[in-house]
Amino acid sequence: MKQHKFVIADYKRCIGCATCMASCFKSAYERGKLSKSRLTVLRQAYGVMPTQCRQCDDGPCANVCPTGALRFNESCIELHEEICIGCKLCTIACPYGAISSNAELMPSINYATEPKYYLEIESQSGAKNIAIKCDICNGRENGPACVEVCPTSAIIMVDPVSHNHKLGRKIDSEAAESFVDKILAGKNVICAPSTKESQPEGIVINELSATPNEMAKSSQNLGGAL
């Protein structure tokens, strides 16, 4: 059974507003981390949803990190930014593509007089390059900020050991528990549309028949027909 906590979203509820990214940026800043979002909202043909570190129990990223900046914790894979050398091995090892590389401005450089640093700062010499990954807002009193601010409660922090999951305000505990159980059981979460005869089991919280974007487009089409 999985041991680490992790944050995951249901694409049927996500509206792609990117509020989670803004809250993640703010949380990182307030906790003294590099002020970059630790999750990214993906926009695909079948819907939108944020993706972030799954806190793998076997942690491929931690296993390849040459400095020990990424290491195993009891509840997650933690990142020590101060000893990260920006080698990007973790970005290659991550099976989910959930780790990126970015940089922070260095106080010794006058960026007003050195315009070359404006472009692709994460690749420029003179900038401290480090790995960026979700740390489930470690050190934040109320846990992951993205879970709190999601307007549709599409994001949940799963605790597979204690089952003390962190939920948004607009989802009932029974529906959330069913969603989490299917995830932990390894059932399909996202699948492409298919015929009824061959349609795999998907996860739909509160029995949403379509994504919010799909429902909005349907309403517009009906209005145009009238």
Side-chain angles (χ1 to χ4, degrees):
M1 183 183 74
K2 184 171 175 60
Q3 300 297 312
H4 287 168
K5 299 177 183 178
F6 62 97
V7 176
I8 194 167
D10 173 34
Y11 84 110
K12 282 289 188 179
R13 299 184 71 90
C14 179
I15 58 176
C17 64
T19 303
C20 51
M21 293 183 64
S23 67
C24 185
F25 179 99
K26 181 180 178 182
S27 173
Y29 175 80
E30 292 175 343
R31 292 181 294 120
K33 303 289 186 179
L34 182 61
S35 300
K36 301 291 182 181
S37 176
R38 268 72 178 155
L39 53 80
T40 303
V41 176
L42 297 180
R43 303 177 186 277
Q44 303 293 335
Y46 305 120
V48 297
M49 67 176 288
T51 181
Q52 61 275 95
C53 176
R54 294 289 185 261
Q55 314 296 343
C56 305
D57 287 349
D58 57 352
C61 58
N63 285 321
V64 301
C65 181
T67 64
L70 285 161
R71 61 187 68 171
F72 295 93
N73 193 320
E74 291 183 0
S75 60
C76 67
I77 301 293
E78 59 184 10
L79 170 63
H80 295 263
E81 293 185 353
E82 64 276 9
I83 59 175
C84 177
I85 59 175
C87 67
K88 301 183 179 68
L89 283 176
C90 54
T91 65
I92 299 172
C94 178
Y96 297 101
I99 304 180
S100 61
S101 179
N102 218 308
E104 60 184 349
L105 302 180
M106 302 297 286
S108 60
I109 296 177
N110 185 346
Y111 292 90
T113 60
E114 299 190 51
K116 68 176 182 177
Y117 290 107
Y118 289 156
L119 299 176
E120 304 295 337
I121 186 173
E122 64 272 16
S123 301
Q124 292 284 357
S125 60
K128 182 186 177 184
N129 186 291
I130 62 174
I132 303 294
K133 69 174 287 295
C134 173
D135 60 357
I136 57 176
C137 288
N138 187 28
R140 186 174 185 270
E141 183 178 357
N142 295 323
C146 57
V147 177
E148 285 188 351
V149 302
C150 181
T152 60
S153 295
I155 307 175
I156 297 175
M157 187 191 78
V158 180
D159 187 340
V161 176
S162 69
H163 292 277
N164 185 24
H165 313 306
K166 181 174 176 60
L167 312 177
R169 292 172 293 180
K170 295 184 178 181
I171 182 173
D172 61 86
S173 58
E174 184 177 346
E177 191 68 35
S178 175
F179 175 66
V180 171
D181 287 345
K182 291 180 180 180
I183 292 172
L184 295 178
K187 295 185 179 180
N188 288 329
V189 178
I190 302 177
C191 55
S194 60
T195 61
K196 292 184 178 180
E197 291 76 12
S198 61
Q199 185 174 1
E201 182 178 0
I203 295 177
V204 180
I205 297 183
N206 289 348
E207 299 302 323
L208 292 179
S209 59
T211 66
N213 288 336
E214 290 170 346
M215 289 188 284
K217 289 180 181 179
S218 177
S219 298
Q220 291 175 357
N221 292 337
L222 289 175
L226 295 176

